[in-house]
Amino acid sequence: MSVAIPDAVPPPVVAAGDAGSGTFAYCSQQYRVVFGAGTSARLGEEAERLGIKRALVLTTPEQQDLGRRLGRGLGDRLAGLFAGARMHTPVEVTNEALGIVESRDIDGLVAIGGGSTVGLGKALSLRTGLPHIAVPTTYAGSEMTPILGETSNGIKTTQHSQDLVPDAVIYDVDLTVSLPPHISAASGMNAIAHAVEALYAPDANPLTSLMAEEGIAALARALPRIMTAPADPGARRDALYGAWLCGVCLGAVGMSLHHKLCHVLGGMFNLPHAETHAIVLPHAAAYNAAAAPEAMARVARAVHSANAPQGLFDLARQLALPRRLSDIGMPEDGIARAAEMAVRNPYANPRPVERARIEQLIAAAWRGDAPMPH
Ligand code: NAD
């Protein structure tokens, strides 16, 4: 499916950068999080706390067995399973699930899976007002954001609402062990990208910056261990903890050049989302490095490198992630077109977004060069 670039939410017009003046606004979000190994056994308790008597469990087709197994923990509160969640929250899938919600008198939603399934839970809770429990099994972080991207006829639109935040999130480390190492690595780098941009966001503040640095550090130490020992409980715990913090950052502050580039590249060439983030991130960080020195110092510290962009590049290499946009299907003649698109309606960014420099950045990512300030 080709997905158009989401521009429904207008980008902020203020400049991003290091929080120099020391003045900030911090808005805390209300989240209930249950974290640990084996915590999905507490699903019934959480449903009871929310007064759910007839729950619909949501999964992808691949995770329906997991949905059935965890659904048993709901006892007689389980009213059905809908195993049709798909990437990019297609509206026709949401409508199909909505039919089940209405015909079975459902009074609560339990999304078990990655960002695709949590997206379906959000879309349904927004339409129905029903309580939503999310049980994430990847590092995408959607459960921590008031954001929903939906697709209809190949067009993606994005909306923000506090009503999208799940009423409870159960992070069960045990459920992430089955996530294959290469998907864990890509998903984890995608999470790191949210935190890197949160550090130089226009609305960055000391609290989100603390979470961002801690989230990057936890993922940077966990992901290499997951590559060699996918079931290592300590590494899985660190990675999920880091993903949680990075997800909070994504939901709390505005994103910049890196996210704009990934939206453009993914939308134009149908590139895999997480891998695109992993390839572009060191280059976007290099572009912004001189304009956001405090943010870069934090990233460098978190990835244990003297240089933040190089440290991110080295981490992606250590995780055996693709290094070149050419490796994941981007055509060379798309570089100039993508640069043109990326400078249209740019997101707030610490450094001005210049067409020629952006084209150099994309070309470097296409070739798989080491990150250089363009
Ligand atoms: P996903 O939810 O599409 O899952 C990918 C595949 O992995 C699916 O087949 C799934 O069943 C399987 N899977 C998930 N967890 C597994 C596990 N532990 N073990 C084995 N297999 C597992 O992928 P994702 O990267 O989590 O989510 C991507 C989607 O989330 C995109 O649509 C993206 O736009 C959205 N997203 C939204 C936000 C937001 O804030 N709204 C944030 C991040 C991502």
Side-chain angles (χ1 to χ4, degrees):
M1 176 180 62
S2 93
V3 174
I5 300 129
D7 268 333
V9 178
V13 288
V14 291
D18 281 1
S21 70
T23 303
F24 59 88
Y26 171 70
C27 184
S28 84
Q29 316 257 23
Q30 255 223 317
Y31 295 117
R32 176 173 169 84
V33 169
V34 179
F35 186 98
T39 46
S40 54
R42 289 168 59 177
L43 187 53
E45 266 173 62
E46 291 301 313
E48 184 176 358
R49 197 184 63 81
L50 289 166
I52 297 174
K53 296 196 171 58
R54 293 187 57 76
L56 181 66
V57 171
L58 310 168
T59 68
T60 59
E62 296 81 12
Q63 288 184 294
Q64 56 185 300
D65 288 346
L66 177 68
R68 271 193 202 95
R69 179 163 70 75
L70 298 192
R72 283 198 283 276
L74 288 164
D76 58 13
R77 294 175 201 273
L78 177 65
L81 171 77
F82 177 80
R86 277 203 276 129
M87 196 85 151
H88 305 305
T89 331
V91 168
E92 61 271 21
V93 171
T94 302
N95 287 340
E96 194 186 336
L98 205 50
I100 298 175
V101 167
E102 283 159 5
S103 65
R104 296 208 195 157
D105 210 10
I106 298 297
D107 67 1
L109 306 158
V110 177
I112 301 171
S116 298
T117 310
V118 173
L120 175 60
K122 286 173 158 182
L124 289 171
S125 72
L126 191 67
R127 284 162 173 79
T128 59
L130 293 179
H132 173 201
I133 302 175
V135 187
T137 62
T138 70
Y139 304 136
S142 174
E143 64 284 351
M144 283 295 129
T145 79
I147 308 166
L148 171 65
E150 296 184 284
T151 46
S152 180
N153 299 322
I155 305 289
K156 186 165 183 173
T157 50
T158 304
Q159 53 185 313
H160 285 60
S161 165
Q162 283 307 317
D163 295 341
L164 289 166
V165 176
D167 299 275
V169 177
I170 301 178
Y171 283 113
D172 184 344
V173 178
D174 293 347
L175 303 183
T176 61
V177 171
S178 58
L179 194 64
H182 66 283
I183 299 179
S184 303
S187 185
M189 282 300 288
N190 186 182
I192 286 176
H194 307 326
V196 169
E197 293 232 296
L199 286 167
Y200 53 63
D203 44 356
N205 60 72
L207 274 87
T208 51
S209 295
L210 275 176
M211 286 189 264
E213 183 175 344
E214 173 80 351
I216 298 168
L219 279 158
R221 70 175 173 264
L223 298 175
R225 280 155 62 205
I226 288 172
M227 295 306 285
T228 52
D232 180 330
R236 286 295 184 179
R237 189 184 173 86
D238 276 351
L240 193 58
Y241 167 65
W244 164 19
L245 298 181
C246 293
V248 175
C249 292
L250 174 66
V253 296
M255 296 287 115
S256 299
L257 174 67
H258 168 77
H259 281 73
K260 175 74 183 188
L261 285 171
C262 292
H263 279 150
V264 166
L265 293 166
M268 285 180 87
F269 310 111
N270 206 16
L271 306 183
H273 177 82
E275 284 80 359
T276 307
H277 273 271
I279 296 168
V280 171
L281 182 60
H283 299 280
Y287 187 92
N288 283 331
E294 285 175 32
M296 291 302 140
R298 280 184 179 267
V299 174
R301 201 158 57 207
V303 300
H304 295 289
S305 171
N307 175 286
Q310 187 63 41
L312 293 166
F313 186 74
D314 293 342
L315 177 61
R317 259 206 305 207
Q318 193 184 357
L319 300 175
L321 287 165
R323 236 173 65 199
R324 305 177 189 89
L325 290 172
S326 58
D327 288 343
I328 58 168
M330 180 178 167
E332 187 170 12
D333 67 6
I335 294 172
R337 280 188 288 136
E340 184 59 42
M341 190 71 104
V343 298
R344 271 192 226 159
N345 308 318
Y347 297 178
N349 194 59
R351 178 181 162 189
V353 174
E354 295 165 32
R355 164 81 171 70
R357 304 269 180 268
I358 295 300
E359 186 166 340
Q360 287 172 4
L361 184 167
I362 298 172
W366 188 84
R367 291 189 300 266
D369 295 351
M372 298 283 289
H374 294 288

